[in-house]
Amino acid sequence: MSIDLEKRNIKFLTCVFLAVSTFGVYSQIQGHEFINFDDPIFITENSNLKKGLTRESIIWAFTNTSDQNWIPLTWISHFLDYQIFGLNPGGHHLTNLLLHIANVLILFLVLFRITGGIWQSGFVAALFALHPLNVESIAWVAERKNVLSTFFCLLTLGAYSYYVCKPEVKRYLLVVLCFILGLMSKPMLVTLPFVLLLLDYWPLGRLKNENKNDSPALAENPVSFYSLIFEKLPLFFISIGGSIATYIIQKSGGAVNSSELLPLQERFVNALVSYIKYLEMMVWPQKLAILYPHSYPALSLWKGLACAVILVCITIAVIKKVEQKPYFAIGWFWYLGTLVPVIGIVQVGVQAMADRYAYVPLIGIFIMVAWGIPELLAKLRQKRKILIILTGLYIPILMVVTWNQVGHWKSSITIFGHTIKVLDTKHPDFSKVHNLLGNALRDKGLNEEAITQYKKAINLNPNYSGAYNNLGNALLDQGGIEEAISHFKKAIELSTDFYLLHRNLGIALLDKGLTEEAILSFKKVIKFNPDFVSAYDDLGLILFSKGKVGEAIPYFIKAIKLKPDFANAYDHLGSALFALGKFEEADLHYRMAIQLKPGLAQAHNNLGNSLYRQKKIEEAISHFKKAIKLKPDYDQAEKNLRKALNSLKEQS
């Protein structure tokens, strides 16, 4: 068998192993639920998503920045998923998994192409495929942007290796296109042009006098460093533009924390510690969580300085060995550089770090390991056997740990419960985890357990308005109206412009019979959010119940104007017109409600009443029967039907 044929067979078998092992470890996510953290924004509560992949939704994807990022391709991928799978979480998870498998295979093939090291490339791809630190990016549907942007990142590297073989404009444009598509999936890729410069040094050997003989030099004519910089100017300009646009979008969206909330010194200390922490988690992946809150002021300056010393020492060491062992320096600077956008100097969100941020950066460390360990064992007589044994032991262990970590992502309850168990932090930022766990428990009907979590959230952060609001809702479910009202008022006190808080308070006041106060609360909802449709309908219903029919009608009309397909508002407007004796006008609105929502039993019953008053008894009977068919326990419709049947009998 020729060497080339043997390598092709090994390459094929490696691809099969990578694909099968990755799918096997992650296959359980097809039975997982959506998580109530970010998944509602992207999928479950996104009204635009439910339009499917249409011209209108695509335009929205390219103009929307609601995630504090411009990520049109990510949005389109979610639209496509909904078009195929609806709200079945298994399908959305499967897409993430397939993208991850594609990333694994592309990484292996690109590394093998540019280095010629088939075993090293396979080992890097296996670590990338199966390391538990990468679980978050695959098992969390909202992190589609991470796996999708990495897909285009690796395609960019592949296109670049293709360009290096034969520098042509059309090949360069392919590199630019893949890079732009990556940025349109997630802007974290802004440092990718620097990665290409690293690869120019090793393994591509494009620098003059730097053509390394331990890898296949794809470039026939090495050039100067300045030529390589000039060559990448378009990519650098795209990166700069993307960075500026992302900062502006995140700043305007309120995602960027001010220096008052998180001082610059704390950010630098956290960044230095995080660089070391990611390495520690790579070596010993334990206590992995969905949220790592900042631990300042416990995160002391001396700890930051100690981490800085370690980073500097490693950097000096790899630079000293750059000529003999270039992969150490390339892998190390890959890691340092690709983490810069998410290391926290510009702080977005409350997290100190996140597993998903290491998805691309750790590839650099994996390169150091894959090429470095064989080098360290080079003088041993049984080097090959030792490497096979180590790999044979390590990869299965990694698979077991990753399988267990994937299991923690089964639902919101399991992932937040796991996070609380492994971190057990007392920092105020951790209150969000207790609050989210409370929401998950309440969604499952576990109200008492939810209340416990909301109270823990408030104990950690007494100024957390969202926890007061959710505690109020949970208490309201149990009939604790007085206590619920007090918590809603506390939430409003802490966040006066949060319109949903006023709506919840209005509902609680209404339950207590304080109608006039409830009306004021609903009017505040409209004041803070003039486009909140339900508030107009709610306010109309309250006024209608008070007998203020004339005042109620404009609110129903406004609700319909804001949402022309609001079937319930048509039904309510019909009832108001019926109360004024305008039966024919009422009929029009009842019929519109039924047309928009054929299953609305109340509209059939109300239309039947109106028709009965107009002596159209047979037609009225048909609508009463329809209402009962839709809602078998509809007592009022049954009474109306009996009355109508008696009237029909008397007529005959």
Side-chain angles (χ1 to χ4, degrees):
M1 183 183 291
S2 68
I3 295 176
D4 286 343
L5 182 58
E6 183 182 356
K7 278 200 169 185
R8 280 200 297 270
N9 289 337
I10 294 172
K11 182 167 72 170
F12 173 75
L13 292 174
T14 302
C15 287
V16 170
F17 168 76
L18 291 170
V20 171
S21 60
T22 305
F23 187 85
V25 167
Y26 281 97
S27 58
Q28 59 180 302
I29 64 172
Q30 294 176 85
H32 288 190
E33 302 173 7
F34 290 118
I35 303 300
N36 66 357
F37 184 21
D38 283 359
D39 279 358
I41 296 172
F42 284 93
I43 302 112
T44 55
E45 295 178 11
N46 190 324
S47 58
N48 291 284
L49 180 79
K50 295 172 184 177
K51 297 173 184 175
L53 192 60
T54 63
R55 180 176 177 274
E56 183 183 354
S57 64
I58 291 173
I59 292 172
W60 180 87
F62 276 89
T63 55
N64 171 63
T65 56
S66 60
D67 181 49
Q68 283 80 50
N69 280 304
W70 186 66
I71 49 173
L73 288 191
T74 298
W75 285 117
I76 289 171
S77 78
H78 285 304
F79 292 146
L80 186 59
D81 266 5
Y82 183 80
Q83 190 85 18
I84 300 170
F85 305 113
L87 286 177
N88 174 16
H92 296 259
H93 281 109
L94 178 62
T95 301
N96 272 24
L97 174 53
L98 293 178
L99 280 169
H100 179 57
I101 292 173
N103 291 341
V104 170
L105 296 177
I106 296 170
L107 176 62
F108 166 64
L109 294 172
V110 170
L111 278 179
F112 175 50
R113 174 179 169 78
I114 63 178
T115 67
I118 193 164
W119 297 112
Q120 295 96 324
S121 301
F123 190 64
V124 169
L127 291 177
F128 177 71
L130 303 170
H131 200 286
L133 203 55
N134 285 343
V135 167
E136 181 174 283
S137 295
I138 299 97
W140 192 359
V141 176
E143 280 310 306
R144 170 71 51 77
K145 54 183 177 287
N146 213 28
V147 288
L148 186 61
S149 63
T150 303
F151 174 74
F152 289 112
C153 167
L154 296 171
L155 283 183
T156 304
L157 299 185
Y160 187 67
S161 71
Y162 177 65
Y163 162 77
V164 167
C165 290
K166 187 180 179 182
E168 292 178 344
V169 172
K170 62 180 181 181
R171 295 190 178 202
Y172 186 82
L173 290 177
L174 182 61
V175 176
V176 173
L177 175 62
C178 291
F179 179 47
I180 291 173
L181 293 176
L183 291 175
M184 290 167 66
S185 304
K186 184 179 181 180
M188 180 182 168
L189 299 186
V190 290
T191 56
L192 188 53
F194 295 96
V195 172
L196 299 182
L197 279 175
L198 292 174
L199 298 181
D200 282 336
Y201 183 82
W202 182 88
L204 296 176
R206 296 189 69 200
L207 277 172
K208 283 184 177 178
N209 302 320
E210 298 296 346
N211 204 346
K212 304 299 168 188
N213 56 18
D214 59 348
S215 63
L218 301 183
E220 294 182 1
N221 300 305
V223 296
S224 70
F225 177 72
Y226 295 106
S227 296
L228 295 175
I229 291 285
F230 182 78
E231 173 190 75
K232 294 172 183 62
L233 282 180
L235 300 176
F236 284 121
F237 286 135
I238 292 170
S239 287
I240 293 168
S243 300
I244 294 171
T246 300
Y247 179 79
I248 292 171
I249 291 169
Q250 291 179 340
K251 185 75 173 177
S252 62
V256 178
N257 290 336
S258 69
S259 58
E260 295 177 2
L261 295 174
L262 191 60
L264 190 59
Q265 177 183 309
E266 299 291 349
R267 300 185 197 190
F268 274 108
V269 170
N270 178 70
L272 293 168
V273 172
S274 295
Y275 268 116
I276 300 300
K277 187 66 178 175
Y278 283 123
L279 295 177
E280 178 189 323
M281 293 163 73
M282 186 209 75
V283 175
W284 193 254
Q286 61 170 342
K287 296 187 177 181
L288 303 182
I290 192 172
L291 179 67
Y292 304 100
H294 280 275
S295 55
Y296 64 89
L299 196 62
S300 56
L301 182 59
W302 73 263
K303 194 170 184 179
L305 292 174
C307 290
V309 170
I310 295 171
L311 292 170
V312 170
C313 289
I314 295 173
T315 303
I316 292 172
V318 298
I319 290 175
K320 283 183 176 181
K321 293 289 185 180
V322 70
E323 291 188 7
Q324 296 84 15
K325 299 175 177 61
Y327 38 82
F328 282 131
I330 300 312
W332 180 245
F333 286 114
W334 175 312
Y335 171 69
L336 293 181
T338 53
L339 256 178
V340 167
V342 289
I343 201 62
I345 301 301
V346 178
Q347 179 65 33
V348 178
V350 300
Q351 70 283 343
M353 55 188 292
D355 295 357
R356 59 189 178 274
Y357 293 160
Y359 191 65
V360 170
L362 282 185
I363 293 173
I365 304 299
F366 296 155
I367 288 172
M368 295 175 71
V369 172
W371 269 266
I373 290 180
E375 184 71 29
L376 294 174
L377 301 177
K379 295 181 180 179
L380 296 179
R381 184 179 300 176
Q382 302 295 325
K383 182 186 84 167
R384 185 179 178 84
K385 288 184 179 179
I386 292 172
L387 286 173
I388 292 172
I389 292 170
L390 289 176
T391 304
L393 290 172
Y394 185 64
I395 294 299
I397 291 172
L398 210 58
M399 292 174 70
V400 171
V401 176
T402 299
W403 171 273
N404 289 334
Q405 182 62 22
V406 173
H408 295 313
W409 284 85
K410 184 174 179 60
S411 68
S412 300
I413 292 176
T414 57
I415 187 57
F416 293 120
H418 171 72
T419 298
I420 290 169
K421 180 181 178 181
V422 297
L423 295 187
D424 192 30
T425 181
K426 303 301 180 186
H427 190 271
D429 284 346
F430 207 65
S431 59
K432 187 170 187 176
V433 176
H434 286 285
N435 184 56
L436 288 166
L437 177 56
N439 290 343
L441 291 165
R442 184 166 171 254
D443 288 343
K444 296 293 185 182
L446 303 171
N447 236 37
E448 286 295 337
E449 292 89 337
I451 288 171
T452 300
Q453 294 301 322
Y454 294 139
K455 288 181 177 179
K456 286 182 178 179
I458 291 169
N459 286 337
L460 287 174
N461 184 2
N463 296 319
Y464 191 1
S465 64
Y468 285 104
N469 175 57
N470 292 332
L471 178 56
N473 281 325
L475 291 166
L476 197 59
D477 289 343
Q478 293 186 332
I481 300 174
E482 287 282 355
E483 197 176 351
I485 289 173
S486 70
H487 287 297
F488 288 139
K489 287 182 176 179
K490 181 65 176 178
I492 290 170
E493 179 187 323
L494 294 168
S495 181
T496 54
D497 62 344
F498 191 20
Y499 61 93
L500 288 176
L501 299 178
H502 288 285
R503 182 173 188 262
N504 291 338
L505 176 59
I507 292 170
L509 291 167
L510 199 60
D511 286 349
K512 194 182 177 184
L514 302 173
T515 310
E516 292 300 327
E517 291 183 43
I519 290 172
L520 290 176
S521 287
F522 281 107
K523 285 184 176 179
K524 285 180 180 178
V525 175
I526 293 170
K527 177 184 176 183
F528 289 122
N529 187 352
D531 295 326
F532 189 51
V533 180
S534 297
Y536 291 97
D537 189 54
D538 291 337
L539 189 51
L541 284 172
I542 296 171
L543 292 167
F544 182 67
S545 68
K546 291 284 288 183
K548 300 178 181 180
V549 182
E551 291 182 43
I553 287 175
Y555 288 105
F556 294 135
I557 292 173
K558 181 66 175 179
I560 292 168
K561 185 177 179 181
L562 289 171
K563 188 180 179 183
D565 62 346
F566 196 174
N568 290 76
Y570 279 103
D571 178 50
H572 299 153
L573 177 56
S575 296
L577 293 166
F578 177 84
L580 295 177
K582 299 179 180 181
F583 302 129
E584 291 184 0
E585 288 184 52
D587 289 354
L588 291 174
H589 290 90
Y590 289 139
R591 293 183 193 279
M592 180 59 75
I594 292 168
Q595 180 182 328
L596 291 169
K597 194 175 180 180
L600 190 58
Q602 181 178 298
H604 283 284
N605 180 63
N606 291 338
L607 177 56
N609 272 330
S610 180
L611 292 166
Y612 180 80
R613 289 289 294 270
Q614 297 172 67
K615 308 299 182 183
K616 301 176 182 178
I617 299 176
E618 289 187 1
E619 192 179 355
I621 288 172
S622 71
H623 283 286
F624 291 138
K625 287 182 176 179
K626 184 68 173 177
I628 294 168
K629 184 178 179 181
L630 290 168
K631 190 178 177 182
D633 59 347
Y634 201 164
D635 293 338
Q636 187 59 50
E638 288 183 0
K639 289 178 183 177
N640 291 335
L641 176 59
R642 284 196 296 270
K643 183 172 67 174
L645 289 170
N646 288 334
S647 295
L648 186 63
K649 189 175 181 181
E650 289 173 4
Q651 283 183 1
S652 61

